[in-house]
Amino acid sequence: MFHYFYKSKEWAFWAYGGGAVLIFSLWLQVELTVAINGWYGDFYNLLQTAGEYTDKSDEGIMLFFQKLIGLDYLTGTAEVEHPSFLVLAFPYVFLALFTNWFTRIYGLRWRQAMTFGFIPRWRTVEEEIEGSSQRIQEDCNRFARIVESLGLQVVRAVMTLIAFIPILWELSDKVDVPVLRDIEGSLVWGALIVSLGGLLISWIVGAKLPGLEYNNQKVEAAFRKDLVLAEDNKKDYARPETLFELFTGIRFNYQRLYLHYGYFDLWVTSYDQFMVIVPYLVMGPGLFTGAITLGVMVQVSNAFQKVHGGFALFLHNWTTITELRSIYKRLHEFEDNLQKYEKPQFKPAD
């Protein structure tokens, strides 16, 4: 699966050149995200001191709009220390748009490499391999799309952690809660612990999902195969009683799958809702003691969510990973069967 794309001279330009473009684009996005986090501090500190501009409202309103949509940072018409939200968000939107588009193209090239790596080998096999057409057409497509999407998220998460851990570590000095205020980098350690704990619970709650996804693909393949064969021979295939029996297997497997996804969704939704308030539980008291300002509170909340999101990447993508594991298993079985049955002269060199 991987060697068709990453170990092929034909696809080396796309595999490594395209990957470098994606990584560079993600790095620029993360840098803009760090700048936006700094903007949060300035903007919300301005809002907290809005009462000081009662007698000079025009100045306060000008600063307010300057923080949001001002272009002075670009034009140099005024001394502005930080760019406005518009100046930061506009390039971020275009970078995100380009990255999403290029990622899909990258995944399509990967699928092409796998598909036309499998086909010549499969054509030499005389034995029947279960679900061959599905594995070449659908599983290659889903595998490439999931891996490129998940891989992109992993790279983004790593870059985000590299950028935001120092910020969150420094902000940990603002914690004014007993015990936590005595631990250096307490916010970072807290994000790591709750993420690992959430991942462990997710592993337990979703333990049966990979097997059910794998069985689901098998019963779907059998149902579709009978319908495909019936396109050329309705006399011997697509009989109602046969299709009903096959669909009964599909329905039974989906019902079990949905039941277990229900348990898993209940856990993940509850976890995510709790994590929204964690930064406020930790930092909120400091607002009332004067230890922090509103801007710092918002900065901590944003930085905590970024770091926690990086640590909890696999938790938030558990259903996707479950699907990927089942697809990988099917494609790995397919490769094993090709290796077993194909003619010696067509076997790829190690």
Side-chain angles (χ1 to χ4, degrees):
M1 287 164 278
F2 292 95
H3 60 271
Y4 291 123
F5 194 50
Y6 289 100
K7 290 187 177 181
S8 168
K9 292 182 179 180
E10 178 184 358
W11 293 102
F13 177 79
W14 268 102
Y16 296 101
V21 170
L22 287 174
I23 290 174
F24 180 70
S25 179
L26 287 175
W27 176 77
L28 290 177
Q29 288 182 60
V30 170
E31 289 298 309
L32 287 170
T33 303
V34 171
I36 290 173
N37 185 69
W39 176 88
Y40 280 137
D42 290 341
F43 181 71
Y44 282 95
N45 281 337
L46 174 64
L47 295 184
Q48 188 176 23
T49 59
E52 300 176 5
Y53 292 91
T54 304
D55 297 329
K56 43 182 179 178
S57 58
D58 289 343
E59 180 182 347
I61 293 172
M62 182 189 69
L63 288 173
F64 176 77
F65 283 110
Q66 189 178 69
K67 293 287 185 184
L68 288 174
I69 58 175
L71 299 177
D72 293 341
Y73 187 84
L74 296 178
T75 61
T77 55
E79 292 186 7
V80 180
E81 185 177 356
H82 300 291
S84 67
F85 183 80
L86 179 66
V87 172
L88 293 172
F90 207 65
Y92 183 91
V93 169
F94 278 97
L95 274 172
L97 178 65
F98 168 78
T99 303
N100 291 336
W101 169 79
F102 194 80
T103 299
R104 296 185 182 103
I105 298 298
Y106 189 80
L108 183 61
R109 295 297 189 275
W110 193 345
R111 177 193 176 185
Q112 183 179 346
M114 282 194 299
T115 299
F116 289 95
F118 281 138
I119 287 176
R121 300 174 62 189
W122 173 63
R123 284 176 57 85
T124 69
V125 174
E126 298 178 356
E127 289 78 1
E128 181 179 355
I129 300 177
E130 181 269 327
S132 297
S133 59
Q134 181 193 28
R135 302 190 196 210
I136 293 174
Q137 185 265 325
E138 182 178 346
D139 288 350
C140 284
N141 179 35
R142 293 168 67 193
F143 179 82
R145 292 179 65 179
I146 292 175
V147 170
E148 53 87 4
S149 174
L150 196 59
L152 204 65
Q153 291 183 60
V154 169
V155 174
R156 180 185 282 115
V158 171
M159 290 182 174
T160 299
L161 288 173
I162 292 173
F164 275 92
I165 282 180
I167 296 173
L168 194 61
W169 190 281
E170 183 178 347
L171 290 172
S172 296
D173 294 339
K174 308 292 185 180
V175 174
D176 194 27
V177 175
V179 180
L180 291 180
R181 63 188 171 202
D182 299 325
I183 301 175
E184 188 176 3
S186 57
L187 292 173
V188 176
W189 294 117
L192 176 60
I193 290 170
V194 296
S195 300
L196 291 178
L199 182 61
L200 177 62
I201 296 175
S202 297
W203 186 283
I204 296 171
V205 175
K208 292 187 177 181
L209 291 177
L212 291 173
E213 282 281 6
Y214 174 76
N215 292 335
N216 187 55
Q217 292 176 34
K218 290 184 66 175
V219 294
E220 286 280 17
F223 184 74
R224 180 170 53 189
K225 180 178 179 180
D226 201 66
L227 290 174
V228 171
L229 292 173
E231 291 181 356
D232 298 321
N233 185 3
K234 291 186 176 64
K235 180 180 178 181
D236 297 325
Y237 297 99
R239 294 176 179 175
E241 60 273 15
T242 302
L243 292 178
F244 181 78
E245 181 181 352
L246 291 171
F247 194 83
T248 300
I250 292 175
R251 185 180 64 189
F252 176 75
N253 196 74
Y254 266 117
Q255 287 172 344
R256 292 184 63 199
L257 185 64
Y258 292 158
L259 177 63
H260 285 277
Y261 268 125
Y263 297 146
F264 187 82
D265 290 342
L266 175 63
W267 151 245
V268 172
T269 302
S270 301
Y271 174 84
D272 284 342
Q273 292 303 310
F274 175 71
M275 292 309 301
V276 170
I277 65 171
V278 166
Y280 298 100
L281 290 173
V282 176
M283 302 299 297
L287 283 171
F288 298 94
T289 63
I292 63 171
T293 63
L294 179 61
V296 172
M297 175 76 253
V298 176
Q299 272 188 293
V300 169
S301 177
N302 182 62
F304 184 87
Q305 295 301 332
K306 295 295 184 184
V307 172
H308 167 254
F311 285 141
L313 171 69
F314 294 107
L315 185 153
H316 291 136
N317 286 277
W318 192 257
T319 54
T320 302
I321 293 171
T322 296
E323 183 181 1
L324 178 62
R325 288 170 64 188
S326 65
I327 295 171
Y328 177 82
K329 183 178 179 180
R330 285 180 58 78
L331 287 176
H332 187 66
E333 287 180 348
F334 185 57
E335 280 201 298
D336 286 344
N337 285 321
L338 289 179
Q339 188 73 20
K340 180 179 179 181
Y341 297 122
E342 67 184 322
K343 299 295 188 297
Q345 64 268 29
F346 288 94
K347 292 185 178 181
D350 293 331

